[in-house]
Amino acid sequence: MKKQKITLAISIAILGIAAQTQVQAAGFQLAESSATGLGRAFAGEGASAENASVQARNPAMLSYLEGRQMSVGAVYVMPSVSTPGTLTIDSALLPQSISMNADVDDVANNALVPNFYYSSQLNDRWTWGLAINSNYGLSTELDSTAAAAIFGNKTSVTTVEVNPNIAYRIDQRFTVGGGLRYVYGKGEIGASTPGWISAVGAYVPSLASSLPPAGTELKYLKGDDYGYGYQVGASWQIDPNNRIGVSYHSKVDLTLSGHASGLLYTGGSSQVDGYLPLELPAFAELSSFHQLTDNWSMQASVNWTDWSVFDELVAYFPGEQKPLGNITSDVVKEEHFKDNWRFALGTMYHINESWLLRAGVALDKTAVSDENRTITIPDSDRHWVSVGVGYAATKNLNIDLGVSYLRTHGSAPINETQNMLGLAQVTFNGESTGHVWLAGLQVSYKI
């Protein structure tokens, strides 16, 4: 079973909330670090020090925050992602191939992605901060008897990161910063027998009694772990109106330890211990901020993620009790991801001292090639269109609202094949389509 056990995953509670969402950046990466940046499609996020949330993208920008500040918010994700397609069963045991509709609607769930940030200026040179947010997440789900459930009916990935950061101002033009990435995760993945299994039994009566009922758990994996990494950044104030920020977030290695179960792993309801090494990829950002007039500014960003490290997932079973066949390891999935790029352009306009308008657009390139796209990670190129508004309720209190609309761009074919123990070959041919709405609220306060 190759596709349905796509990953043991990292499914983590953020601030106590189990946030699981269809990813809004490439692969299973999240972009929703704050509702403030959401309003401009996160353009210039690593060079725009609007509040304490900036440290999530560039710790060096903490040097631009005066006094003590706190920012808390959340982005609500409303995906509408479908995978229309056709499923075909070929077998020498069948008088002819069986083809059927295998459309899957709304494979991704709505989710809330919260965040929390704090910054404190120690003196004219040093500023420290704390960030709690998420950089990776995924949740797709099919009915346990859906035609394509054999490829995976349940996959969840969510992450939470805790980042203590510190920044140092070298002079009026240059700042540097760094911090620790602490990532914890737990998750689950499963696959089940589709409803058409009974039709196969009708075609081949000799197999009917040995086929499991529709909806039977074939494979299920669950595990958790935590890991460490680092992040560094720098900024250059070219002149009073132009600034550049650059940042790098290291990879984080996880060894997801848990258990495996299901008909094809244990033959029933028992469990076996297992673990799966997973490398969360490094990513980097180059941002710029440009004050064009007293009221109007422009922002831009180029983001890169090292998704090419996500090549193959292998599960290991070190315990005395092994899965069926007495195997010690199992190739979970060959992903063959590729590095991806994201390009964003944004703007802000101050109407007056109280009101601020934001807007932005972005192109987020997929990390998945057409040959390796799956139902469980139906990734594709995305266009972003974002708008936002900021309101200064008082001298110290700011409220930001942001809304983004994401639409898949270009073709995103899905072609998966599953070998059923050498008895039949099941093929899904379809595509990934859909859109996503994001709505966020950020409240920032200068203490």
Side-chain angles (χ1 to χ4, degrees):
M1 302 297 294
K2 178 180 177 182
K3 304 293 181 182
Q4 67 273 21
K5 43 178 183 166
I6 181 173
T7 177
L8 283 170
I10 40 175
S11 176
I12 307 158
I14 302 175
L15 303 179
I17 301 174
Q20 298 176 340
T21 177
Q22 172 62 27
V23 291
Q24 307 319 320
F28 50 89
Q29 190 174 22
L30 294 173
E32 295 85 353
S33 57
S34 77
T36 304
L38 182 67
R40 46 183 156 72
F42 298 103
E45 191 72 353
S48 303
E50 294 192 70
N51 54 49
S53 67
V54 69
Q55 64 187 294
R57 306 297 279 266
N58 186 355
M61 293 303 296
L62 282 168
S63 293
Y64 284 82
L65 302 179
E66 297 180 351
R68 293 182 296 154
Q69 300 188 27
M70 182 175 65
S71 184
V72 61
V75 177
Y76 191 62
V77 184
M78 297 163 282
S80 177
V81 180
S82 300
T83 55
T86 302
L87 187 138
T88 304
I89 306 171
D90 293 294
S91 174
L93 301 175
L94 299 174
Q96 61 185 32
S97 297
I98 301 176
S99 295
M100 67 193 75
N101 180 282
D103 293 354
V104 181
D105 296 323
D106 294 327
V107 300
N109 301 320
N110 292 358
L112 185 70
V113 183
N115 61 73
F116 173 85
Y117 304 97
Y118 175 80
S119 67
S120 178
Q121 184 182 26
L122 300 176
N123 52 47
D124 292 341
R125 296 281 186 177
W126 294 95
T127 304
W128 76 275
L130 177 68
I132 304 176
N133 66 344
S134 177
N135 279 305
Y136 307 93
L138 168 68
S139 179
T140 56
E141 187 173 359
L142 285 66
D143 186 87
S144 61
T145 60
I150 192 172
F151 294 101
N153 73 308
K154 183 187 303 180
T155 301
S156 68
V157 176
T158 47
T159 65
V160 66
E161 292 200 21
V162 179
N163 307 132
N165 299 294
I166 193 163
Y168 179 73
R169 177 172 290 280
I170 300 173
D171 53 33
Q172 293 303 309
R173 302 181 67 186
F174 297 99
T175 70
V176 293
L180 176 69
R181 300 183 67 190
Y182 171 86
V183 182
Y184 171 77
K186 63 178 180 180
E188 61 180 349
I189 181 67
S192 57
T193 53
W196 48 259
I197 196 75
S198 57
V200 173
Y203 271 102
V204 189
S206 60
L207 291 178
S209 60
S210 60
L211 294 175
T216 299
E217 180 183 275
L218 293 174
K219 287 193 176 182
Y220 178 81
L221 301 105
K222 185 176 183 179
D224 67 350
D225 191 27
Y226 61 87
Y228 294 93
Y230 65 90
Q231 57 192 43
V232 293
S235 73
W236 175 28
Q237 191 73 46
I238 302 172
D239 56 43
N241 297 319
N242 298 281
R243 182 167 59 245
I244 291 177
V246 61
S247 60
Y248 174 82
H249 299 244
S250 76
K251 69 175 183 176
V252 176
D253 290 319
L254 298 177
T255 300
L256 303 172
S257 300
H259 67 263
S261 61
L263 188 65
L264 297 182
Y265 265 152
T266 64
S269 58
S270 60
Q271 301 177 353
V272 294
D273 295 334
Y275 70 90
L276 184 148
L278 177 64
E279 180 179 327
L280 301 179
F283 56 96
E285 179 173 358
L286 175 65
S287 302
S288 65
F289 176 91
H290 310 279
Q291 192 71 46
L292 304 179
T293 69
D294 289 342
N295 296 335
W296 181 33
S297 63
M298 296 288 292
Q299 303 79 36
S301 282
V302 178
N303 299 75
W304 163 84
T305 302
D306 189 21
W307 274 119
S308 59
V309 301
F310 195 55
D311 187 57
E312 184 180 68
L313 293 171
V314 181
Y316 297 90
F317 307 101
E320 293 184 4
Q321 185 178 0
K322 306 294 184 185
L324 296 178
N326 201 35
I327 60 174
T328 58
S329 64
D330 187 24
V331 177
V332 175
K333 193 176 192 320
E334 295 182 2
E335 289 288 355
H336 304 304
F337 273 26
K338 57 184 180 181
D339 291 357
N340 94 288
W341 295 85
R342 185 180 189 272
F343 308 92
L345 183 66
T347 186
M348 296 192 295
Y349 184 79
H350 286 266
I351 300 175
N352 52 44
E353 292 184 357
S354 298
W355 291 95
L356 166 67
L357 298 179
R358 299 182 180 90
V361 294
L363 171 62
D364 200 354
K365 301 293 290 182
T366 181
V368 180
S369 64
D370 289 347
E371 295 78 12
N372 295 288
R373 186 176 291 106
T374 67
I375 294 174
T376 44
I377 305 186
D379 191 44
S380 61
D381 291 347
R382 285 165 296 278
H383 281 154
W384 288 60
V385 178
S386 302
V387 294
V389 60
Y391 174 61
T394 69
K395 182 180 179 180
N396 295 327
L397 178 63
N398 286 271
I399 301 172
D400 297 318
L401 298 172
V403 176
S404 292
Y405 177 73
L406 286 64
R407 187 77 185 181
T408 57
H409 170 66
S411 61
I414 300 175
N415 300 288
E416 293 194 68
T417 299
Q418 185 77 268
N419 188 299
M420 297 180 62
L421 304 177
L423 299 176
Q425 181 169 282
V426 182
T427 303
F428 177 88
N429 290 301
E431 61 178 338
S432 172
T433 64
H435 64 269
V436 181
W437 283 98
L438 307 175
L441 168 67
Q442 200 77 22
V443 179
S444 302
Y445 185 71
K446 297 178 182 179
I447 303 172

